[in-house]
Amino acid sequence: MEEVTGAQLIAEALKAQDVEYMFGIVGVPIIEVAMAAQAAGIKYVGMRNEQAACYAASAIGYLTGRPGACLVVSGPGLIHALGGMANANMNCWPVVVIGGSSDQNQETTGAFQEFPQAVRTSMYGRPGACYVDISGDMVNAKVNRSNVRVVSCCPPPPVSLADHTAITEALSVLKGAKRPLVIIGKGAAYGRAEASLRELVERSGLPFLPTPMGKGVLPDDHPNCVAAARSRALLQADVVVLLGARLNWILHFGLPPRFDPHLKVIQVDLCAEEMGNNVRPAVALLGDINAIVSQALALQSVVPMNYYTVFHHISQLLPHDCVIVSEGANTMDIGRTMLHNYLPRHRLDAGTFGTMGVGLGFAIAAAALEKSQNKGQRIVCVEGDSAFGFSGMEVETMCRYNLPVVIIVVNNNGIYSGMDPETWKEMAKMGDLTTIAPPVTLLPEARYHEVMTAFGGRGFLVRTAEELRSALQLSLSDWERPSLLNVLIDPASDRKQQEFPWLTRSNL
């Protein structure tokens, strides 16, 4: 009957929990543990100081999501490792520290069943350091393998979601922000939230600031990164979305004079004990960062889109060689930064004179030229709903000559801003609309796409990002007739506040 040593069982138990790296300094009684770990396929790195060994093992936990092992002797060896354990706890990085101690009289190998629990404890909830003490006589003791109980590998930590009501409240606070800022901490990096965060930032147009170890979750050269203006961004933000970061000394504790005294914080964290440290959050979202951001994105997809969401998806689908025609107020201004050109003479907009109504005429000219030159370039006309009204009947011209122009009307029910249908109906009950309707408002959710279909073109009513992408892809593939996408967005949607608003100054 095969016999195995305690050292072998330790190594096999760690390997069974997907522990791939061990760092440490060997001595009696744990030399055999290191040798057994190597035999089991665990990579052992001999260090020169237990503190550094624990730092390395905890960094493996951060980088891989599974804890590294730190192997130390008792007494001074364990004391030296305490610094690394404290650092792991503060960073919320999983690590399992294994220390050898004096012999104990034990008749069973029950202690070896503690390793699955140690790995689980280091990873679940708030990640951190977990210590397992191994008595010296257990290392070289032998037992029949048939008496060893095999414990399966503990699964990844359960993914916890935030309360749906809290998500809705957070989106409401964010929607009301004039100068929002997303702060990305290392908790977002540990939570592998990079893909969902990129979608959130790019769909909403939110600026972001990484903490030192949050750098790289989104690229430092991303156009929404405001790291170069860090102090100004922190001071001027009125709403901060705190993603896996803490308002500690690195972020000046979230307090004046570095932050606005009236700052609202939306705090997203895995650890309940971190909520409200130094600054009470306006909304606390407890759970897995990646899951919570995905929750917000899912909820955002069923509420009205804003300009930045629309332009994010348009920019992803437009061919690089297309001719972009753009006019409107917010539509043209935001489009200038979010809809990129790659070739000369492929951009037409209101220009020096700031003329509204030029869009469809420009698009017809570009389409007629394309039809004669046959370069295979699409003409995409991005209009505000007010701007479209100046020359909307020119869609008949496009249909008459079979000019395959793609028109996208970004419809917010007004000039700069409008009203939702329910508010409009209630206002109409109050009296004559000519005396009470704000001059900037237009008819809510006007069916501009039906103007196009009336003349034989394609028309699409779009409310969600999925509908937008589907309609735009279909329109770009159709070279036989023009298309119009009537994209309904939040009537209150606006451009970011401008520091020097001389061009758009208004008392509204």
Side-chain angles (χ1 to χ4, degrees):
M1 198 170 286
E2 181 188 3
E3 288 188 328
V4 290
T5 66
Q8 287 176 279
L9 291 178
I10 293 170
E12 291 173 5
L14 289 171
K15 184 67 175 177
Q17 299 306 313
D18 285 344
V19 174
E20 298 292 338
Y21 290 88
M22 179 181 286
F23 302 83
I25 299 177
V26 297
V28 177
I30 46 93
I31 298 174
E32 289 80 3
V33 174
M35 296 171 64
Q38 290 177 314
I42 296 173
K43 299 175 179 66
Y44 175 79
V45 180
M47 305 288 284
R48 303 299 291 271
N49 182 283
E50 292 88 352
Q51 188 175 13
C54 197
Y55 289 153
S58 65
I60 285 290
Y62 169 67
L63 294 171
T64 68
R66 304 290 296 192
C70 177
L71 186 64
V72 300
V73 296
S74 61
L78 175 58
I79 292 172
H80 290 169
L82 288 177
M85 296 171 71
N87 189 69
N89 277 344
M90 290 302 295
N91 281 331
C92 296
W93 293 355
V95 63
V96 174
V97 179
I98 304 163
S101 65
S102 58
D103 292 353
Q104 294 183 12
N105 294 323
Q106 291 191 350
E107 295 180 355
T108 70
T109 59
F112 299 118
Q113 310 302 333
E114 298 301 321
F115 283 98
Q117 182 61 34
V119 171
R120 185 182 299 108
T121 300
S122 74
M123 295 167 52
Y124 283 29
R126 180 189 177 114
C130 185
Y131 177 68
V132 179
D133 192 71
I134 301 297
S135 62
D137 56 349
M138 290 180 65
V139 173
N140 291 311
K142 294 184 177 181
V143 65
N144 289 331
R145 184 174 289 278
S146 60
N147 294 331
V148 177
R149 182 168 66 91
V150 177
V151 180
S152 61
C153 178
C154 74
V159 175
S160 52
L161 302 176
D163 180 74
H164 178 80
T165 304
I167 294 284
T168 303
E169 185 180 356
L171 289 176
S172 177
V173 171
L174 193 56
K175 180 180 175 181
K178 297 295 184 183
R179 300 175 301 278
L181 177 66
V182 175
I183 297 180
I184 300 174
K186 63 177 176 287
Y190 181 77
R192 273 62 180 171
E194 50 268 21
S196 59
L197 268 179
R198 179 185 283 271
E199 184 176 356
L200 174 68
V201 164
E202 294 182 349
R203 182 192 289 187
S204 60
L206 290 169
F208 72 88
L209 175 70
T211 64
M213 291 191 65
K215 289 168 68 67
V217 175
L218 295 183
D220 282 348
D221 62 355
H222 192 285
N224 291 37
C225 181
V226 295
R230 180 181 187 274
S231 295
R232 189 176 186 85
L234 294 178
L235 179 60
Q236 296 202 342
D238 61 345
V239 172
V240 162
V241 182
L242 201 62
L243 294 167
R246 303 173 192 171
L247 294 176
N248 55 20
W249 63 274
I250 294 176
L251 290 172
H252 316 289
F253 307 101
L255 300 173
R258 294 289 192 145
F259 285 83
D260 188 308
H262 305 295
L263 173 72
K264 294 180 180 179
V265 176
I266 300 171
Q267 188 170 3
V268 184
D269 207 288
L270 189 64
C271 309
E273 60 268 35
E274 289 297 334
M275 295 298 183
N277 277 350
N278 296 314
V279 175
R280 182 177 179 177
V283 185
L285 302 176
L286 180 64
D288 179 84
I289 293 174
N290 186 42
I292 289 174
V293 173
S294 298
Q295 277 184 279
L297 287 169
L299 188 57
Q300 197 179 46
S301 67
V302 299
V303 299
M305 294 184 287
N306 60 24
Y307 284 106
Y308 296 94
T309 303
V310 170
F311 281 113
H312 165 64
H313 289 286
I314 293 174
S315 67
Q316 287 188 328
L317 296 176
L318 290 188
H320 281 197
D321 64 348
C322 74
V323 176
I324 299 175
V325 181
S326 181
E327 67 171 329
N330 292 334
T331 300
M332 184 174 66
D333 292 340
I334 298 171
R336 281 172 171 167
T337 58
M338 294 192 68
L339 299 181
H340 297 165
N341 283 97
Y342 303 89
L343 296 170
R345 296 171 297 281
H346 280 57
R347 187 70 165 232
L348 298 167
D349 67 17
T352 307
F353 209 34
T355 309
M356 292 296 105
V358 299
L360 271 65
F362 285 174
I364 288 171
L369 190 62
E370 160 58 28
K371 199 164 187 178
S372 64
Q373 295 179 344
N374 196 25
K375 293 182 178 179
Q377 296 178 340
R378 298 312 315 250
I379 314 301
V380 179
C381 185
V382 185
E383 301 268 311
D385 51 335
S386 171
F388 177 76
F390 281 88
S391 53
M393 282 302 294
E394 297 301 337
V395 299
E396 185 274 334
T397 308
M398 296 177 183
C399 291
R400 191 181 345 136
Y401 292 104
N402 294 320
L403 300 176
V405 176
V406 178
I407 302 173
I408 303 172
V409 178
V410 185
N411 186 357
N412 72 337
N413 305 339
I415 306 168
Y416 296 109
S417 62
M419 289 185 175
D420 61 81
E422 290 72 24
T423 303
W424 181 267
K425 290 177 182 177
E426 290 302 314
M427 184 177 63
K429 296 176 183 178
M430 298 167 59
D432 187 349
L433 287 172
T434 62
T435 63
I436 58 177
V440 295
T441 57
L442 298 173
L443 186 66
E445 299 188 355
R447 297 309 200 247
Y448 297 115
H449 58 289
E450 294 183 1
V451 178
M452 177 64 83
T453 58
F455 296 109
R458 285 181 179 270
F460 301 89
L461 180 63
V462 171
R463 295 181 184 272
T464 67
E466 292 73 19
E467 291 174 349
L468 172 60
R469 296 183 71 92
S470 175
L472 183 53
Q473 288 172 327
L474 184 59
S475 298
L476 289 171
S477 67
D478 187 351
W479 287 85
E480 301 300 322
R481 51 182 170 166
S483 301
L484 190 151
L485 284 63
N486 184 14
V487 184
L488 304 183
I489 67 170
D490 186 346
S493 180
D494 201 357
R495 64 183 297 184
K496 296 174 186 174
Q497 187 173 14
Q498 304 299 295
E499 184 175 354
F500 304 107
W502 62 269
L503 186 62
T504 55
R505 186 181 295 117
S506 171
N507 291 323
L508 288 175

